[in-house]
Amino acid sequence: MNPVTSLPLLLLLLPSCVEESPSPAASNGDRDRPVLAAVNYPLAYFAERLAGDFATIHFEIPPNEDPAFWNPSDKQVTAIQEADLILLNGAGYAKWTSSRTLPFESTVVTSSAFENKLIRIEGDLRHSHKPGEKEHSHAGTAFTTWLDFKQASAQASEIARALAEQYPTHRATVLRNLADLQRDLEKLDLHMFAATELLKEAPVIASHPIYHYWARAHGLEVHALLWEPEMELTQDALADLEELQDQHPGVKYFLWEGEPNPGHVAVLADLGLTSFVLSPCANRPENGDFLTVMQANIASLKSLGK
């Protein structure tokens, strides 16, 4: 049985007579509700959906920061360490967690069910997101796991399992909310599968090396640059693009992680490339939520065929 697809069934088989242990929140002074800390927005969203109003979700990464490379202050780390459950993405995500101590009994590695399916990135892909920022590397393990919605469903299951075990009085609510969330993720998966059919005709060039699991889930060939939507398209950057085009003939589409500069879209159009956006939604969006952002991604893809 596939470990990813079997997780929801296993979770539903958790015994209903789990021995209740004192909630960690009870020992944390005047807390009214348990606190769940998440290292990225998708996990925070899943936790919000699963816990409903019985828990507080701690996710306070600044809007303009990439949670994967965010460097929290000591005070921010302490707040996460004191959470009742700490939701980790795994796959090398949230680089700061490798140099800080987190309480083992509180951590949930949400990608553990498909750890043997994680993708290794070869080479040393280094850059910074804005001028003056320290460079970081995308080499190692691909970490945007949730863009494969089956994996996202497995990550939600791991959160639900931890909640059901830690807070058995809320088990029925958590399982009911998990079923609703997984139905939404299954719909996204089906619609994304249909929307990506057009992209199977030729390779796709992406602005960023974050689409490995999405590409694998839908049978796509994606090759990445290290571009930002707001960056200046220098001659060196365009030379990198031309090199990729030469290496992978037939490319028609250019994939951006965020809304690009209209001038960039025009430049790429002159080079025979149609731009579209697929946001990973790693941080909390200005409008909507994880579900609506993914629906917008699918709509962006569908517009390519018109």
Side-chain angles (χ1 to χ4, degrees):
M1 185 178 290
N2 186 314
V4 173
T5 56
S6 64
L7 258 176
L9 176 59
L10 291 174
L11 181 59
L12 290 171
L13 293 177
L14 279 172
S16 58
C17 56
V18 176
E19 182 179 352
E20 185 170 359
S21 57
S23 166
S27 62
N28 284 327
D30 58 356
R31 271 194 197 168
D32 295 326
R33 301 187 295 179
V35 174
L36 316 179
V39 298
N40 61 32
Y41 172 65
L43 298 184
Y45 173 78
F46 298 161
E48 289 167 356
R49 291 280 303 267
L50 293 168
D53 59 5
F54 89 79
T56 297
I57 311 305
H58 178 83
F59 180 75
E60 297 183 356
I61 299 176
N64 295 325
E65 294 281 354
D66 181 347
F69 301 102
W70 177 56
N71 187 26
S73 66
D74 290 344
K75 182 178 179 180
Q76 290 167 324
V77 171
T78 297
I80 294 171
Q81 290 170 328
E82 292 177 349
D84 299 291
L85 287 176
I86 303 169
L87 309 178
L88 303 181
N89 192 76
Y93 195 92
K95 304 300 182 184
W96 67 267
T97 60
S98 64
S99 60
R100 301 294 191 117
T101 301
L102 297 175
F104 176 79
E105 66 277 6
S106 302
T107 57
V108 181
V109 181
T110 61
S111 60
S112 58
F114 51 89
E115 186 176 8
N116 63 337
K117 293 187 175 182
L118 296 177
I119 297 171
R120 292 290 300 174
I121 303 174
E122 302 300 329
D124 187 22
L125 304 175
R126 303 186 67 85
H127 76 137
S128 61
H129 286 178
K130 45 195 172 186
E133 182 183 69
K134 182 180 178 181
E135 284 195 342
H136 59 253
S137 175
H138 283 264
T141 303
F143 51 63
T144 320
T145 52
W146 60 89
L147 287 181
D148 175 344
F149 295 127
K150 289 185 176 65
Q151 292 183 170
S153 183
Q155 291 182 265
S157 289
E158 287 297 327
I159 298 171
R161 182 189 300 279
L163 287 171
E165 290 178 349
Q166 195 80 0
Y167 306 103
T169 57
H170 295 284
R171 179 178 180 274
T173 298
V174 170
L175 294 182
R176 184 170 58 250
N177 291 343
L178 174 63
D180 290 341
L181 174 56
Q182 289 186 319
R183 275 192 292 270
D184 285 341
L185 292 171
E186 183 178 4
K187 288 178 184 177
L188 288 177
D189 194 43
L190 291 171
H191 288 303
M192 183 65 80
F193 187 84
T196 53
E197 280 297 311
L198 183 66
L199 301 181
K200 295 178 182 179
E201 300 173 359
V204 175
I205 294 179
S207 63
H208 230 57
I210 57 172
Y211 296 103
H212 303 81
Y213 299 107
W214 174 75
R216 183 177 69 182
H218 301 289
L220 307 176
E221 181 183 347
V222 179
H223 303 280
L225 295 164
L226 288 171
W227 286 15
E228 298 296 333
E230 68 281 0
M231 68 177 275
E232 180 184 355
L233 287 187
T234 63
Q235 288 303 312
D236 286 344
L238 292 173
D240 290 339
L241 171 60
E242 184 178 357
E243 182 179 354
L244 267 188
Q245 286 181 293
D246 290 341
Q247 292 173 354
H248 307 287
V251 174
K252 299 178 181 177
Y253 299 108
F254 192 95
L255 168 55
W256 296 93
E257 64 176 320
E259 201 62 41
N261 183 312
H264 297 358
V265 174
V267 169
L268 294 181
D270 289 341
L271 297 173
L273 298 174
T274 300
S275 294
F276 70 100
V277 175
L278 198 154
S279 169
C281 200
N283 207 335
R284 191 180 299 277
E286 290 184 14
N287 300 297
D289 56 25
F290 178 86
L291 186 62
T292 59
V293 170
M294 294 302 148
Q295 290 168 339
N297 287 338
I298 292 168
S300 177
L301 276 165
K302 287 181 176 179
S303 70
L304 298 175
K306 296 180 180 178

